[in-house]
Amino acid sequence: MFICGDLNGADTTPLRNAYQLRQINNEATRDNNVLDVIITNAPECYTLETLPAIGTSDHKVVWATSSNANYKQTRPKQTKTLTRSGKIKDTVAVLRTHDRGSLVKKVALNSTSNCQESFNELYNIIQTAEDTMQPLKITKRRGDQPWLNNTKKESIKKRQKLFHTRRFEEWSKISKEIEKKISAAKRQYYSNFTNGNVNTWKEINATRKPKIDQSIDKDLALEQNECFYNVWSGIKQPDISSFILKRPPPDCPQPFNEQIVLKAIEKQKNGAFGPDGLSSKLLKSARLELATIIGHLFNASLRLSYVPTQWKSANITPIPKVAHPKEGSDYRPKALTSTLCKIFERVIAKTILEYTRNIWEINKQYGFLPGRSTMDAIVKVIEDWSHAKDQRLPTQAVFFDFAKAFDLVNHHTLLTKLQVHLPPWLVSWIAA
């Protein structure tokens, strides 16, 4: 918005407050008074110059220019990312026509090398189909305005879907609602800076300036990596080769079939994928085409106690544990593993729960179990304490917080305990 004119000393405060505008010229235009005023909501876009009066006019000329470069500086920061172009359904169509019989025959052989080759071939088939029908391209995206949130963005997506399906009456209605919500959120965003004080507009317009594009802080990355590594650095890793079966056990079941794999894929959440590059979205779309061969591969992996190399890598993302992290220890590592591995583990976790049901159903274990939570533990503790108080019994509570407990579990000890409750073929795969 850009408003200019000879306002002859009029008070523009109400107008500026109503539309979040700022007066950008303060140099006198007649005698010692600023009578010719320019107000705008994009002050950083304009360059001002005061020139002599034209002809017999007693007003100086205020020349405002807005270059494209200045305008770009006030826009949200632009990022470039590699994304898949095209449509997933085209990739699925290619996968549907592919002959997967050779994979099934190869998996049937009891050889770890054949198992790895089969996984490699499956990944290659999917990647080739993606590269053919959905080649990677550089996408330019701008950051969201600060007054937009996920709820409003979801409403905008819904509005676009209504337009494309030609439901114009509903589209018009939701469009008006979205405009009102965004306008209200924008006013609220700016009002948080003013607090009714018009002298704080400099602070408001400072938010329109682009953030400094910081390069990758390699020192911080090395510090985080060193902090994560030091948790187990120097600790001698035990030899667990004795837990891995040398030959496939004759009693190893085949827990994976087409229906189980389909159900597990459907429950997989869309999100960031691991180093293998296989997205959950594509896997869900092609689940009917891939479920059978994935089931064969999963059974072979379990039967041979072999974990493919694609499953042994992870993308580590540091997640802040505090509001303003300063050191490597202020982050916790989040591992993004293979999507296929997550699906496999979901089914195996249910199998482990079935084998250990006689243990956790009668004890007071509340973590890592279906249908139980921290609230259950709190209720149980309060009940015990209340009972002790009623009986006038002394109560003592001891709480332990083991530092890095998950990272420092001794694998040999863990597998030894698992041998008591799980069959050898399952312990063997976990060890592998």
Side-chain angles (χ1 to χ4, degrees):
M1 183 180 292
F2 184 90
I3 300 175
C4 62
D6 179 9
L7 302 184
N8 200 23
D11 184 13
T12 60
T13 301
L15 180 65
R16 287 183 291 170
N17 288 345
Y19 296 99
Q20 291 84 45
L21 305 176
R22 175 186 171 188
Q23 181 176 329
I24 59 176
N25 66 308
N26 297 307
E27 192 171 341
T29 57
R30 192 183 73 174
D31 298 331
N32 295 324
N33 300 317
V34 183
L35 302 181
D36 303 270
V37 175
I38 299 176
I39 55 178
T40 178
N41 63 342
E44 300 296 333
C45 293
Y46 297 95
T47 303
L48 297 180
E49 184 179 3
T50 304
L51 304 175
I54 298 176
T56 59
S57 174
D58 59 347
H59 288 252
K60 294 180 181 179
V61 175
V62 182
W63 185 261
T65 56
S66 175
S67 66
N68 192 37
N70 287 346
Y71 175 74
K72 284 183 177 179
Q73 287 180 356
T74 66
R75 300 290 293 161
K77 182 182 175 182
Q78 188 181 76
T79 58
K80 296 180 180 179
T81 56
L82 275 175
T83 57
R84 290 283 181 185
S85 60
K87 298 180 179 179
I88 288 183
K89 65 178 183 181
D90 296 330
T91 303
V92 175
V94 173
L95 293 174
R96 188 178 299 123
T97 59
H98 201 282
D99 181 20
R100 297 176 293 276
S102 60
L103 270 176
V104 177
K105 293 178 181 178
K106 190 179 294 185
V107 168
L109 300 175
N110 290 331
S111 169
T112 55
S113 60
N114 286 331
C115 186
Q116 182 61 60
E117 288 177 10
S118 300
F119 272 100
N120 292 342
E121 189 173 340
L122 175 64
Y123 278 110
N124 184 57
I125 290 171
I126 296 174
Q127 186 175 356
T128 302
E130 276 191 306
D131 292 340
T132 303
M133 307 309 299
Q134 294 179 271
L136 289 170
K137 68 174 184 179
I138 297 177
T139 303
K140 297 180 180 179
R141 295 181 179 178
R142 294 194 181 276
D144 295 327
Q145 295 288 5
W147 48 81
L148 282 179
N149 55 26
N150 290 333
T151 303
K152 293 181 180 62
K153 287 192 287 186
E154 288 298 324
S155 299
I156 292 172
K157 289 181 182 179
K158 183 179 178 181
R159 180 188 64 183
Q160 293 173 325
K161 188 177 292 185
L162 291 172
F163 182 83
H164 289 306
T165 54
R166 305 183 68 83
R167 295 156 66 180
F168 297 117
E169 187 174 343
E170 297 178 55
W171 169 81
S172 178
K173 182 179 179 181
I174 196 174
S175 295
K176 293 178 181 178
E177 293 177 358
I178 291 173
E179 289 176 5
K180 289 180 180 178
K181 290 180 180 179
I182 291 179
S183 297
K186 188 176 179 181
R187 285 195 299 271
Q188 181 63 40
Y189 170 77
Y190 281 122
S191 68
N192 291 337
F193 291 100
T194 60
N195 293 323
N197 184 359
V198 295
N199 295 326
T200 58
W201 284 107
K202 288 184 179 180
E203 188 176 3
I204 292 176
N205 285 283
T207 64
R208 294 182 59 84
K209 296 180 181 179
K211 295 181 179 179
I212 298 175
D213 185 14
Q214 297 180 346
S215 57
I216 297 174
D217 191 343
K218 293 184 179 179
D219 292 337
L220 178 60
L222 290 173
E223 182 185 353
Q224 291 174 347
N225 183 69
E226 187 69 20
C227 183
F228 297 156
Y229 170 76
N230 283 337
V231 173
W232 53 271
S233 175
I235 299 177
K236 185 178 180 180
Q237 300 300 311
D239 182 13
I240 58 173
S241 59
S242 60
F243 294 94
I244 302 176
L245 301 178
K246 307 303 180 185
R247 295 181 180 179
D251 60 337
C252 181
Q254 304 284 311
F256 295 94
N257 56 44
E258 186 176 0
Q259 295 302 320
I260 291 176
V261 173
L262 281 173
K263 190 175 181 180
I265 292 176
E266 289 173 355
K267 288 186 176 182
Q268 181 64 31
K269 295 181 180 179
N270 293 334
F273 41 80
D276 61 351
L278 181 57
S279 70
S280 302
K281 194 172 183 181
L282 173 61
L283 203 57
K284 285 183 179 180
S285 301
R287 61 186 183 277
L288 296 177
E289 288 74 19
L290 299 176
T292 302
I293 185 59
I294 289 176
H296 283 291
L297 287 170
F298 283 178
N299 286 326
S301 173
L302 199 60
R303 183 175 67 253
L304 299 172
S305 300
Y306 182 78
V307 180
T309 56
Q310 291 88 344
W311 294 7
K312 291 192 174 185
S313 301
N315 292 333
I316 305 298
T317 303
I319 305 298
K321 296 190 291 186
V322 296
H324 302 287
K326 296 180 181 179
E327 302 176 352
S329 58
D330 293 336
Y331 296 85
R332 64 177 178 85
K334 180 180 180 181
L336 301 176
T337 56
S338 165
T339 305
L340 281 180
C341 185
K342 292 177 184 176
I343 294 170
F344 182 97
E345 289 173 342
R346 176 177 286 111
V347 178
I348 290 300
K350 291 183 179 179
T351 304
I352 293 175
L353 285 175
E354 288 299 322
Y355 277 107
T356 58
R357 181 177 294 276
N358 62 321
I359 303 172
W360 57 263
E361 277 191 344
I362 60 176
N363 70 6
K364 298 176 182 178
Q365 172 74 24
Y366 297 100
F368 312 104
L369 291 175
R372 298 192 185 185
S373 65
T374 308
M375 186 57 66
D376 296 318
I378 293 174
V379 170
K380 177 60 177 173
V381 168
I382 293 175
E383 181 184 355
D384 291 342
W385 289 350
S386 300
H387 177 73
K389 185 178 180 181
D390 293 339
Q391 301 296 322
R392 298 182 180 275
L393 299 174
T395 302
Q396 293 179 336
V398 181
F399 297 89
F400 290 100
D401 181 15
F402 296 100
K404 306 296 181 183
F406 181 82
D407 297 322
L408 299 177
V409 168
N410 185 286
H411 291 177
H412 191 281
T413 303
L414 175 62
L415 292 169
T416 301
K417 290 182 176 294
L418 290 178
Q419 276 187 324
V420 179
H421 306 287
L422 301 181
W425 54 268
L426 187 49
V427 176
S428 180
W429 188 91
I430 294 172

